[in-house]
Amino acid sequence: MTMNNDNNGSSSKGFDYDFLVEESLKNVVKKVLNITSENGLVGNSYFFITFNGNDPDVLVPHELKSSDSTEIKIIIQHQFWDLKTSDDHFEVTLSFNGEKKNIFVPYKAVTSFTDPSVGFGLQFKIEDHLKDSNLAISESVDTDKLMISQSENTEAKSGEIVSLD
């Protein structure tokens, strides 16, 4: 069991291996998006990226948000412009109903990344800042929705990394 995580993924009770693995896998997403921003898409690659639209640092056009914006999905394939990456976020301009709109997504908000052209996929848990709010996170294998319920005495459960087929 781990508590009091610092930025190195360690704590007073031991290493937080879940955090370290999650961070490493998000680095794969960062590198792929960085390569794409510099060179364009490689081969037949394209990306489905799902992120938590309720994250306070996510900036998306109002029309993309719904009453339940826990998941917003975008596709980076044919019509995208100005893909920019940094250590903590990516930005991209996409076309929605013929209008170009800018999107700003911190990597901490990304919940899944898939490149269907090669059968590669990653799924992430929601960041630890939700644990501090005493929220319990539960996932259903049968749905893509992430359900968050208020809990008073329950620590948040860590998600599982699932390969998408």
Side-chain angles (χ1 to χ4, degrees):
M1 179 177 281
T2 59
M3 297 185 84
N4 300 327
N5 285 343
D6 62 21
N7 288 334
N8 296 321
S10 63
S11 72
S12 59
K13 293 196 178 203
F15 290 100
D16 185 347
Y17 288 104
D18 287 341
F19 172 82
L20 294 170
V21 168
E22 192 93 358
E23 184 178 51
S24 294
L25 291 174
K26 285 211 177 170
N27 280 328
V28 171
V29 175
K30 290 178 192 180
K31 287 181 181 183
V32 166
L33 290 177
N34 187 48
I35 291 167
T36 302
S37 73
E38 292 175 357
N39 305 315
L41 289 169
V42 175
N44 294 323
S45 289
Y46 61 101
F47 314 126
F48 291 128
I49 302 173
T50 306
F51 56 92
N52 178 4
N54 290 328
D55 185 289
D57 297 324
V58 166
L59 299 174
V60 297
H62 179 70
E63 58 269 20
L64 288 184
K65 288 203 169 197
S66 65
S67 60
D68 178 21
S69 294
T70 54
E71 281 196 339
I72 296 176
K73 296 178 185 179
I74 61 171
I75 300 172
I76 296 179
Q77 189 173 15
H78 299 299
Q79 295 186 359
F80 71 94
W81 302 268
D82 304 323
L83 177 60
K84 299 174 189 163
T85 60
S86 75
D87 286 338
D88 64 348
H89 75 276
F90 71 92
E91 298 176 57
V92 65
T93 300
L94 298 173
S95 179
F96 298 98
N97 296 325
E99 293 184 39
K100 292 182 179 179
K101 304 283 184 163
N102 191 43
I103 295 175
F104 178 100
V105 181
Y107 294 114
K108 67 182 175 92
V110 174
T111 57
S112 71
F113 176 88
T114 306
D115 181 348
S117 72
V118 293
F120 178 80
L122 297 170
Q123 187 168 353
F124 303 101
K125 66 181 179 176
I126 289 186
E127 280 291 308
D128 290 334
H129 67 272
L130 290 179
K131 290 181 184 179
D132 298 334
S133 301
N134 292 327
L135 293 175
I137 299 172
S138 63
E139 290 185 302
S140 172
V141 176
D142 295 332
T143 67
D144 288 336
K145 292 287 182 189
L146 186 64
M147 302 179 321
I148 302 174
S149 60
Q150 187 75 23
S151 173
E152 293 180 6
N153 297 322
T154 307
E155 231 180 81
K157 298 177 184 176
S158 66
E160 294 181 9
I161 298 169
V162 179
S163 175
L164 304 175
D165 294 332

